[in-house]
Amino acid sequence: VSGEFAAIDRLRRALPTPGPGETWIGDDAAVVRAPGGGWLLLAADTLVAGVHADLALTGLDDFGWKAVAVNVSDIAAMGGRPLHALVTVAGPPDTGLDLLYRGIAAAAAAYHCPVVGGDLANAPVLVLTVAVTGTFEGAPLLRSGASPGDLVYVTGPLGLAAAGLRLLKEGKLAPAAALDAHRRPAAEVAAGLAARAAGATAMIDISDGLAADLGHLAEASGVGLALTELPVGDAATLDEALTGGEDYVLAFTAADPARVGEAFAGLPAPICVGRCTDDAATRTIGGRPLPAAGGWEHRWS
Amino acid sequence: VSGEFAAIDRLRRALPTPGPGETWIGDDAAVVRAPGGGWLLLAADTLVAGVHADLALTGLDDFGWKAVAVNVSDIAAMGGRPLHALVTVAGPPDTGLDLLYRGIAAAAAAYHCPVVGGDLANAPVLVLTVAVTGTFEGAPLLRSGASPGDLVYVTGPLGLAAAGLRLLKEGKLAPAAALDAHRRPAAEVAAGLAARAAGATAMIDISDGLAADLGHLAEASGVGLALTELPVGDAATLDEALTGGEDYVLAFTAADPARVGEAFAGLPAPICVGRCTDDAATRTIGGRPLPAAGGWEHRWS
C-alpha cells in the first residue's frame, strides 16, 4: 500500500515537461500560460461524502461551500485571484441539489469565482469535484522559493477546523470560530495577494496540517525549519494546530518583516512562527523535533 | 423526479450574468475571457464506474482514455483546440492507478492536452473527473447560431459506440470500429477546426445521441430540423444511430457546401444529413417524426 503523494508522483513521471516558466503537478495550483499571454492558474479538488465530510455533522450547503473554498484557497496560495469554477456533482438521485447549490453559489459569490460549467451524474456516493482557474500578476509564487534566513509566517490561528470537528463529534458546544473553520473554511485571497506584495518567497495553504504543509514547502525549497511558537486557535490543542489540517490559512516565507507589515496594512497581521535554516534536515519547534507524521494521505495499493 | 437538464437549469438560474461575449452553462464548453485577452474554453465531465462504463467490459486504461477524450470532444465542439487537463480520481484503495494513468496519459498525448494537476482521493466507487481548458481564434461557435436553410452535417458514422457496447454485452464478435468507438472514442479536434474554417454557424458533439443533441442545437438556435438519411455505422442499427449516443462525432450547421468541401480537404468529408427549417417545431427524418426521446439523462429528485 502506498500513499497519495507516491501515487501522484507516478502520474507526474508519465507526463511531458512543462513549458518555460510553467509549473504543473506539485504545487497548490498549476501555473501555465493563458492564450493571449497572461498567466493562468489551474487547480482541482474533490470532496467525497463520508470521507472528507460527515453529512450528519455538516450540511450539504456547507459541503458545497467547502468544495469551492478549498479550491479558491489553492489559488490564494499562489498569490493569485480566482476567475472561474467548474462544478461536477456525482451522487445518488436523492441528493439535495438545491441545498448543495446554495452553498456552492454562496462561495462562488463570496470569492468572485462564478460557476461557468460542469457536469451532473448519478453515482452511489456523493462526490463533488471543483476545478478553478485564476491568475496573478508578476512572477509565479511557488512552494520552492524559500531561502535560509527567510521568516515563516501564517495568516491566522491554527487547529480551529480540527477542534470544530472534534467538538461536533463529541456533541459538545463549540466556539463559533471553530465550527465555521470546519464547516465554512475561508479562502485567504486577500492575504495571498498581500503576501505577494510583501515579496513572499514561497507560499502554501494549510490543508494537510502545518507540520505536513510547511514540510512540503521546506522540502521543495531545500531549507530547514526552526519554528518558535504557533498561534493555536481557541479550543484547539497544540497537536491540532500542528497536524489537524483543513485550516486553509496560508503559510509563507519572506525576508523583510517591514515589507510584510506594510503589505498587510488593513488585514489581520500575519504571525511570524519561525525561520528557514540552511540545514535542510532541520525540522524543529521550540528546539524539539516537529512531528514527522500528520496530514491525511489517501491510500492506494 | 426530474432530469439532469432541469437540475442544471436550477443551478444556472442561481448564477450571475456572463460577461460580454461570454457563454457559461448551456453549451459544450464555457466561453470566457482569458487573463491577457484571448478566449478560454472550460469544460468538465465525470465518468462513474458502473454508471458510465462497465469495467468488466472495458479496461481501466480505456476508462481513463475516455474521460480525457469526452472532455476534449467538448472543446472540439466549440471549434477549439485543447490546452490543459486537470484529472481527479476518487476511488477505492485497490483501484489500478497505473493502468488508469496509462489511458489518461495516452489520450493527453494524442490530443496535446497535458495533465497539469488534479486530485486523488479515496471513495467507495471509482469516479473520474476531468476538466479541460482550450482556446480558439475568431468568434465563439455556439449551439445557437444556426439559421433556417443551413445544411446539417455530421463528421462521421453514427451508432458505432452503442453497437460496440451491445455486442460486448452479448458476448459477440464486434467489428474493431465499433469496439474502438465504445472503448476509445476519438475527439474530433481537426474536424471541429475545419468546421470553424468552413463558416459553421452552430456545432455540438454527439454524446447523448443524434436526435437529442441535434435537438439541443435546434432548440438553442430556434430552428426546425428536416433530416434526410444518416450515415449508420457498420453493425449499428438506425435506432442506435439516432439515439445511441457516445459517438463523439460532431454535428454542425453551415450555409455553403462548397466552403465545407474546401475546409475539410485532407480530412474525411462530413456527411450532409439534412437542413434547418424555419418552423422551430419541425423535427423529421425522411419526412417522419424524429424520435422525441433518446439520450441518457441522470435522475434527480
Side-chain angles (χ1 to χ4, degrees), chain B residues 1 7 16 35 49 64 74 76 83 101 103 110 135-136 160 166 189 203 214 224 253 264 273 275 283:
Chain B
V1 175
D74 282 327
L83 293 173
Y101 285 168
T135 193
F136 60 90
L160 278 174
R166 170 174 49 81
V189 178
M203 186 148 62
L214 271 187
T253 55
F264 277 81
V273 298
R275 180 179 290 278
R283 294 276 192 286

Side-chain angles (χ1 to χ4, degrees), chain B residues 233-246:
Chain B
D234 275 352
T237 65
L238 179 60
D239 185 59
E240 283 166 344
L242 273 170
T243 67
E246 302 217 310

Side-chain angles (χ1 to χ4, degrees), chain B residues 218-276:
Chain B
E219 198 184 323
S221 296
V223 298
L225 291 172
L227 304 184
T228 51
E229 217 177 350
L230 300 184
V232 181
D234 275 352
T237 65
L238 179 60
D239 185 59
E240 283 166 344
L242 273 170
T243 67
E246 302 217 310
D247 281 317
Y248 300 103
V249 304
L250 300 177
F252 68 90
T253 55
D256 182 349
R259 216 173 141 194
V260 172
E262 278 164 35
F264 277 81
L267 291 172
I271 303 112
C272 181
V273 298
R275 180 179 290 278
C276 300

Side-chain angles (χ1 to χ4, degrees), chain A:
Chain A
V1 174
S2 74
E4 178 185 348
F5 300 116
I8 289 172
D9 204 53
R10 295 214 301 274
L11 175 56
R12 187 188 199 168
R13 284 197 301 266
L15 293 169
T17 310
E22 297 193 343
T23 298
W24 294 359
I25 293 171
D27 217 294
D28 290 86
V31 180
V32 300
R33 280 286 175 192
W39 286 112
L40 193 63
L41 296 167
L42 299 171
D45 264 313
T46 200
L47 295 188
V48 181
V51 175
H52 295 90
D54 180 345
L55 291 180
L57 301 177
T58 308
L60 271 176
D61 49 349
D62 295 328
F63 192 71
W65 168 284
K66 190 169 174 175
V68 174
V70 302
N71 274 282
V72 172
S73 180
D74 282 328
I75 300 296
M78 310 300 288
R81 59 187 175 84
L83 293 173
H84 302 103
L86 298 167
V87 171
T88 300
V89 182
D94 65 355
T95 302
L97 286 183
D98 288 318
L99 190 59
L100 185 67
Y101 286 167
R102 201 177 300 165
I104 291 169
Y111 298 113
H112 307 290
C113 182
V115 178
V116 298
D119 195 16
L120 198 54
N122 287 141
V125 63
L126 178 61
V127 178
L128 179 56
T129 305
V130 175
V132 289
T133 64
T135 193
F136 60 90
E137 272 152 45
L141 174 43
L142 307 175
R143 297 176 178 181
S144 53
S147 297
D150 285 353
L151 298 168
V152 181
Y153 292 88
V154 294
T155 60
L158 298 162
L160 278 174
L165 176 59
R166 169 174 50 80
L167 293 166
L168 273 174
K169 279 183 177 165
E170 291 171 353
K172 286 190 187 153
L173 206 64
L179 277 186
D180 280 355
H182 171 61
R183 287 184 170 159
R184 296 238 165 181
E188 305 262 15
V189 178
L193 294 171
R196 169 179 285 280
T201 51
M203 187 149 59
I204 192 167
D205 72 337
I206 307 302
S207 54
D208 293 330
L210 183 80
D213 288 317
L214 271 188
H216 297 320
L217 183 152
E219 198 184 323
S221 296
V223 298
L225 290 172
L227 304 185
T228 50
E229 215 177 350
L230 300 185
V232 181
D234 276 350
T237 65
L238 178 61
D239 186 58
E240 283 166 344
L242 273 170
T243 66
E246 303 217 310
D247 281 317
Y248 301 104
V249 305
L250 301 177
F252 67 91
T253 54
D256 182 350
R259 217 174 141 193
V260 171
E262 279 164 36
F264 277 80
L267 290 172
I271 303 112
C272 181
V273 297
R275 178 178 292 278
C276 300
T277 69
D278 57 7
D279 174 8
T282 302
R283 295 275 191 286
T284 60
I285 180 162
R288 286 194 297 246
L290 259 185
W296 172 261
E297 270 204 81
H298 296 274
R299 292 174 312 115
W300 301 91
S301 58

Side-chain angles (χ1 to χ4, degrees), chain B residues 223-225 277-283:
Chain B
V223 298
L225 291 172
T277 69
D278 56 8
D279 174 9
T282 303
R283 294 276 192 286

